[in-house]
């Protein structure tokens, strides 16, 4: 459920994709540079996976979908890995029990590194000039995209694991964090009713769930100019929002009775002050920063309390269409620090994954990728909700207006926040 | 989750509504005429409620929302009932634990009958000619509609309870059942792309979740001319559909591993023959009859196996708009027998609740009813899917093209079936 | 777990046993005289059973073990009952799921009454003068004893069911209850070290688990002259006993963390006053009365807090051996009211089931009854603890010093209390 | 539940105990020599703990009960460790959640090694000649015994963790295993009825639960001359023992329905052949070797199938009393290989932990150790069963006839087997 399936990209200089492959593979290792073998072993809940598993599974993806079917003479690294590091591809075969991923101490981390090297070499040995490469290239692109998605999960899963530790270790001690002095005043940006095109088309890489492009009719709506801040969310808490059933979906209220919660995941109150567990350890809560680690139920409850609602994913996409992407994305390297902007529609991209009110569903005319990679996206289209925009930890190539992320409404360990919407002209 | 909230109806002859109140109240008792006090006591799962509870709760609705606030001098029947028979209205106050409804043996059934009489008399004593009646009338209508919804639940909940009994008792021994000799050949009815109006408007009663009427754009689609039959569903089973993960949503497949299932709820194989537990006891499966008691996962898996998909609720509603309601609804009394029709788009209404692929969500501009009755519908809008059309057990006034029923995707104890759809002109 | 298996009794006037059969059967009905069909239907937890089930199961016992094998020409009442009302006798065949007993509304209560009549007549039609009766007689005795055990369970199970009802109905409104003005001062009765005979021998009826009589060596010990009172237990509560881990078994402490509890089952604090839910409804707690509805963990924790311990079942039995039974049992009819006595070793019998520290285990040389009735006792000998002495609700014939009752340490819905012990001369 | 509490030992040359301390500490590290940091991190079930945790917790024991209270000027290594590595000593303070021990990646393994060094040095710096040492010495002894107990748990917990790995890694590849060619013929050794002394006395170290020595009366009994073999257990399996309820305790039978099991833990059938997962990986089952990894339910069911029973712990201890310990313990170093002997009462010690039918309970007059170390044993005395004799993995000093090990009846990951008994002269 935590992973994404995708539709393959298109023509590009073959050598360039091999280079990007190498960069992507290296980036995954960079993310783990400060971790111990133990850090990379543990799994703190069934929804999360060990970092070691992420490193192996992304490798498995290249081996399974490219090397085994397409690379003549490729020699499998370890035949047990087909079973061990398959996430959920039933077309490939059965999978090791997800909840037990954290118990697999052998292969060791070193063996996983060797596995990565073995596969990396075999990929580099593919001859881009050969005839078959045009068939391999889209799969290579998909594998790169897939690994990039797992890079964000490595961070969120690690953060969750470290949060279980009463010593609150710091995952990324040198991460740059901007302190935000003032949140910009909240303005309402209006959009007209009309028929809009939703979804992706064209040559650039995109996932199958972004297609086909189709028409949708939207009634007039308005979108908040920026994300909801910690300070605003705190007002909700302080007005006893978590104790008042009128703001909560029935299902959410039931959960609150069973598993009481008084704030977003990773928030901790010490004395009279709020802290937040982050990749850099426990930090004082920054009131002007966008709220992070709320689940869908919390996002929805906050919106009801505020007298507003969450946007649909179509509304979000239409609004994003009016943006110059560059104006929101000052940083060119995938750092972990958010960007902020005082202008009109800000914090759309690369800041927080923004919950929409849209259940994750196929677009009209949607067809999954053919073959086993078709399990990537389509089979998760129930009881999950779409998030848009990308977070501070989202790799650059995954920041686009048609991109659909999705999680169960109870999930809050992703870098998820919210933006308010309302109906009417 | 099992109940619906609604938007109030409008102007009608005041006396007429009092008459309909009496008819509705009488109909609830008729449904229970053959039941023992024990039958009406039991609760076979948390999602179901005892028949006795349904009789009391629907009474509580009139007492709570009409008599207490509006009937001067009304004397409460039993002050404990406010707590005991409140389903989920947090605005009224706390509720007795849902899972324990079946344990409340006191008040006895006789006391619940007395409660009904007490409230019936007080309602009849309202003076339609008085000034305030215009404020009461919409609530009275809502209470009638609410009780009618519970009438269907009385039947589905009883069936579930009786199914736990190894003697397979018969709930409704004299229920009329038509044997269907031949299912009509499956045809595909095409609908053009375009902007359509969805949702309800006007004076007639409707629920808040059917409003506001709004525009939607649909790409071209086609709808099956009739419901999927038992014979067709059996082909899916016999091609080992329940063992092949490629047809199932990931979440559904997980469930099948944990709670194995080989056929819809209430199906039983004895020797080489399939039977189905019905309100009339165990019956030989009728191949031409529309499949019943499939959950959303099964409906979706069947559609994938068939190379089709489920319709969205908007597609369904648009298609239904082209129907003369009368042509599909031969029977004027709410019997339990389905109607069939050889003509184009058949079995749309009053036959099976038809799963759509639409997650239950608010329409653009949706506003719940003001006050505590506003908890009726809006707070259930997550992780549920919309069903359309009404079943053989649905009271007549609930059969309309804009009506939205909703259940969790795992629910199969309702009279639920499916109709296939596909994209394209 | 809730029932007992037994070893058959011996020679008695055949007619007398038929009379006692009739009395016992009548007594079961008397216990239910004030109950509605709904009261007798419900099952409030897996460990409890509906009163209707008890009435049917005890009848099943006579039908299964006597009428079917021994009564020529006996006509089975309903062949489904063999499965439906078998409690746990695997030798007879599979059983209906225990947790679902409360869902079986058919057969109705009337049908169960008819079943009882049918079996009663067949038993009365047995000819005591015939040759085979000597083989039937011990089974008849076992069936009577079995039904008497269920009589106590009918009351405890009903009380548990009624406790779920927020209206706290009264099961036995005319039950006589003595108010105890003063508890006698607690004295310590000393017993010497030595070899003692434990267990039963002789002609009178007893269960297999009371045999064989065997020798045991006891070190010197002392036993409290009376049971622990509510007032004493309240002191434990008020000294924060439920919050101090040093008094609790590790397993108990874990449970308290998961399922917090601040007092025995059925205790309710209203304002500053303690009440107890009893068969007569909610009653003010009587400080001098022996504490009731404590589980093993609570009994053990209280004893540790008091610097004492629970007696072993052997110690209890040896102590009881010195008693004139009559001196403790003033009442000759099985009322529900306890007897109290100011003399030395009081409240041993017919007052509260007294937890002992002895795990329920076979006596040296123990052999279960031959045949399927052998499942009565032996298969429960793990993870249960022995209670001795009988309660206010225990039928007279079950009050003897060798009688072994047993329940899981977490069980508290029986009429269970405790008596302290200590080691040393 | 997995650990033991103890009663302190007595006078010994102070320097000798310091030496034994060093040996014991070194032995723990030896056990982990071939493990990776990841191997030592994982926790495969709540009942097991990571090897890293075992290394830290045993260190914590010395720090908490000796260094902090007795070593002037001792500087705590890390103040968070008091909470983090406390197992269950409520008297010391709250404990980190047991089920999450496997998630604590920081402190790293290196930090735990540093912790061990820090504490080892501080212990070595204690001056045996000083006055207070006589008070420290028994605690030091207890700490050594405690660490030795954890050495066996390190192995059993690791084996369980490795068993979750589909690659079935080998924990101890060079472990010596004797192949047993023939099991000796099973003989019955008879013991007379009489009064026997049970429990420990004297100067040598023993745990509090072995005291006080007291008298017990045993009826005559016979004990099998050797342990039950794999071949014998296989006969039970092949006679469909796991499918026949008549052999199983009721509670066991329920579990088998819920969690089906067809053989002891770690047995695997491949084709027609049985294998067993051992510390040396998957091995062909040795028919003559004593069965291992049966739980109490299985041991009891086997005994019923064989027409015998399990011995009580008193019977076992009395029988063991007639043995020259040396005759059963050929090996002087704690290898992992069992010893076998053709003589009368064989395989009593150092072979398999032998389930007895005795619930773990206090001896008459039992008093826990004073102070917080008193939580070591007494608070586990409910719902656990005693095992005797020690296993192939039990450190030498823990092999004695009065030693009481204990586990829940469902536990099978220890090196547990069984020996049959029967009643009578």
């Amino acid at each position: 459920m935590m992973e994404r399936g995708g539709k393959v990209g298109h023509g590009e200089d073959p050598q360039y994709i091999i280079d990007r492959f190498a960069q992507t593979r290296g980036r995954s290792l960079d993310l783990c540079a400060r971790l111990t073998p133990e850090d990379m072993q543990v799994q703190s809940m069934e929804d999360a996976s060990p970092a070691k598993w992420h490193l192996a599974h992304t490798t498995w993806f290249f081996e399974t979908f490219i090397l085994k079917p397409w690379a003549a003479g490729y020699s499998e690294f370890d035949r047990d890995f087909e079973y061990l590091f398959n996430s959920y591809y039933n077309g490939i075969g059965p999978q090791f029990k997800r909840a037990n991923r954290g118990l697999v101490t052998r292969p060791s981390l070193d063996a996983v590194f060797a596995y990565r090297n073995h596969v990396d070499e075999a990929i580099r040995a593919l001859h881009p000039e050969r005839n078959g490469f045009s068939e391999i290239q889209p799969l290579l692109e998909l594998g790169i995209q897939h690994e990039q998605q797992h890079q964000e999960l490595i961070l969120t899963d690690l953060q969750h694991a470290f949060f279980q530790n009463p010593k609150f270790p710091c995952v990324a001690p040198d991460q740059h964090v901007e302190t935000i002095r003032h949140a910009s005043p909240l303005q309402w940006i209006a959009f007209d009713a009309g028929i809009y095109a939703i979804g992706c088309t064209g040559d650039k890489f995109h996932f199958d769930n972004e297609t086909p492009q189709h028409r949708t009719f939207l009634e007039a709506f308005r979108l908040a100019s920026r994300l909801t801040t910690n300070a605003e969310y705190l007002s909700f808490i302080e007005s006893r929002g978590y104790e008042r059933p009128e703001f909560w979906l029935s299902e959410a209220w039931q959960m609150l009775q069973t598993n009481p919660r008084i704030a977003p995941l990773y928030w901790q109150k010490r004395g009279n002050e709020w802290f937040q567990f982050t990749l850099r350890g426990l930090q004082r809560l920054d009131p002007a920063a966008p709220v992070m680690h709320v689940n869908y139920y919390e996002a929805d409850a906050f919106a009801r309390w505020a007298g507003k609602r969450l946007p649909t994913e179509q509304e979000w996409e239409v609004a994003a269409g009016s943006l110059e992407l560059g104006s929101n994305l000052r940083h060119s390297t995938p750092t972990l620090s958010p960007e902020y902007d005082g202008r009109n529609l800000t914090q759309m991209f690369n800041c927080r994954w923004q919950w929409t009110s849209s259940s994750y569903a196929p677009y009209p005319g949607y067809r999954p990728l053919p073959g086993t990679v078709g399990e990537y996206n389509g089979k998760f289209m129930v009881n999950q909700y779409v998030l848009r925009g990308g977070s501070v930890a989202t790799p650059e190539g995954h920041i686009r207006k048609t991109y659909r992320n999705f999680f169960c409404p109870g999930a809050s360990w992703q870098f998820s926040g919210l933006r308010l919407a309302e109906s009417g002209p």
Side-chain angles (χ1 to χ4, degrees), chain A:
Chain A
M1 249 155 294
M2 298 314 105
E3 301 168 13
R4 301 303 113 72
K7 178 159 277 177
V8 295
H10 304 277
E12 181 183 18
D13 173 16
Q15 188 50 53
Y16 180 55
I17 198 169
I18 297 287
D19 292 348
R20 284 199 301 113
F21 168 80
Q23 286 159 19
T24 302
R25 300 285 285 170
R27 169 76 183 139
S28 297
L29 296 183
D30 291 349
L31 281 172
C32 301
R34 292 170 170 281
L35 301 176
T36 68
E38 295 128 294
D39 292 339
M40 302 176 68
Q41 176 63 44
V42 296
Q43 177 180 31
S44 54
M45 61 172 170
E46 184 162 354
D47 282 345
S49 294
K52 186 173 84 176
W53 183 90
H54 284 296
L55 293 183
H57 165 67
T58 49
T59 305
W60 171 95
F61 193 94
F62 289 107
E63 185 181 52
T64 301
F65 294 115
I66 297 177
L67 295 175
K68 286 186 184 175
W70 299 101
Y74 172 71
S75 153
E76 188 175 20
F77 182 79
D78 183 325
R79 54 179 305 209
D80 290 339
F81 286 13
E82 174 165 312
Y83 166 72
L84 207 47
F85 296 122
N86 182 355
S87 53
Y88 53 62
Y89 294 86
N90 295 308
I92 300 298
Q95 304 108 44
F96 182 66
K97 199 180 165 194
R98 180 182 181 103
N100 283 6
R101 285 177 186 166
L103 300 180
V104 180
T105 62
R106 315 276 178 106
S108 68
L109 183 56
D110 282 344
V112 167
F113 286 149
Y115 180 39
R116 290 183 70 89
N117 286 337
H118 177 86
V119 164
D120 286 357
E121 277 176 37
I123 292 286
R124 277 195 298 267
L126 293 172
H127 295 285
E129 66 280 5
R130 288 239 183 104
N131 269 342
F133 197 76
S134 65
E135 295 190 77
I136 292 176
Q137 190 163 351
L139 290 166
L140 206 44
E141 182 64 48
L142 185 61
I144 291 169
Q145 298 282 339
H146 172 257
E147 181 142 353
Q148 287 169 340
Q149 291 183 314
H150 279 275
Q151 286 166 0
E152 182 159 0
L153 294 174
I154 285 174
L155 291 173
T156 55
D157 291 357
L158 267 172
Q159 185 176 0
H160 192 267
F162 278 32
F163 186 61
Q164 313 309 312
N165 190 322
K167 293 176 86 77
F168 289 123
C170 177
V171 182
D174 50 358
Q175 182 195 329
H176 173 66
V177 171
E178 301 184 29
T179 301
I180 303 175
R181 296 196 193 285
H182 306 290
S184 60
L186 194 149
Q187 296 169 310
W188 292 95
I189 318 295
F191 296 86
D192 292 336
I195 294 181
Y196 293 96
I198 295 294
C200 207
T201 186
D203 281 351
K204 284 202 178 162
F205 175 84
H206 51 266
F207 286 103
D208 58 3
N209 64 11
E210 303 171 60
T211 65
Q213 202 183 60
H214 60 283
R215 291 163 286 180
T216 202
F217 184 89
L218 297 180
E219 299 284 358
F221 67 99
R222 279 170 291 170
L223 214 57
S225 59
R226 59 159 172 77
L227 299 183
T228 293
T229 62
N230 283 327
E232 286 162 347
Y233 199 86
L234 204 49
S235 298
F236 168 60
I237 294 176
E238 285 169 353
S239 66
R240 301 192 303 109
Y242 278 76
E243 300 160 48
R244 294 164 64 184
E246 63 265 37
F247 304 132
W248 296 86
L249 286 160
S250 178
E251 186 175 296
W253 187 247
Q254 301 304 323
M255 284 186 208
L256 283 180
Q257 305 321 298
T258 318
N259 300 303
R261 185 163 164 154
I262 59 163
L265 182 67
Y266 301 147
W267 286 36
Q268 299 251 320
K269 197 168 191 177
R270 304 201 156 181
N272 282 321
E273 208 165 359
W274 282 100
F275 289 78
Q276 190 173 23
F277 181 68
T278 72
L279 292 171
R280 301 209 312 155
L282 211 56
Q283 303 277 325
R284 190 164 280 119
L285 194 74
D286 179 353
V291 69
M292 185 151 63
H293 299 300
V294 290
N295 63 26
Y296 178 84
Y297 303 122
E298 291 171 314
D300 178 81
F302 175 85
R304 291 181 193 228
W305 171 79
K308 308 297 178 189
R309 61 171 174 84
L310 299 177
T312 66
E313 64 168 323
Q314 288 81 13
E315 289 170 342
W316 192 97
E317 185 169 328
V318 164
S322 65
L323 276 186
E324 286 297 307
L325 199 64
S327 71
N328 272 70
L329 286 167
R330 291 230 193 91
H331 54 90
S332 56
T333 53
T335 73
L336 297 176
S337 65
E339 272 296 313
Y340 303 96
D341 189 321
R343 296 197 335 166
N344 274 350
L345 192 54
T346 67
Q347 300 175 327
M348 284 293 276
F349 292 108
N350 231 168
C351 182
R352 301 286 181 270
W353 284 108
Q354 293 152 60
W355 285 109
T356 73
S357 65
S358 298
S359 176
Y360 182 48
Y363 284 163
Y366 168 72
R367 294 258 166 226
L369 288 179
T372 43
V373 285
E375 297 188 53
Y376 207 116
N377 268 314
K379 72 182 186 183
F380 300 107
M381 291 176 171
V382 69
N383 280 358
Q384 309 220 30
Y385 284 77
V386 174
L387 302 103
R388 294 294 195 115
S391 82
V392 290
T394 306
E396 211 175 350
H398 295 251
I399 302 293
R400 64 177 165 273
K401 68 172 186 165
T402 60
Y403 196 93
R404 306 171 83 195
N405 198 354
F406 52 91
F407 279 92
C408 291
S412 48
W413 89 109
Q414 297 299 307
F415 303 111
S416 50
L418 79 133
R419 175 186 305 276
L420 295 174
E422 60 183 357
S423 296

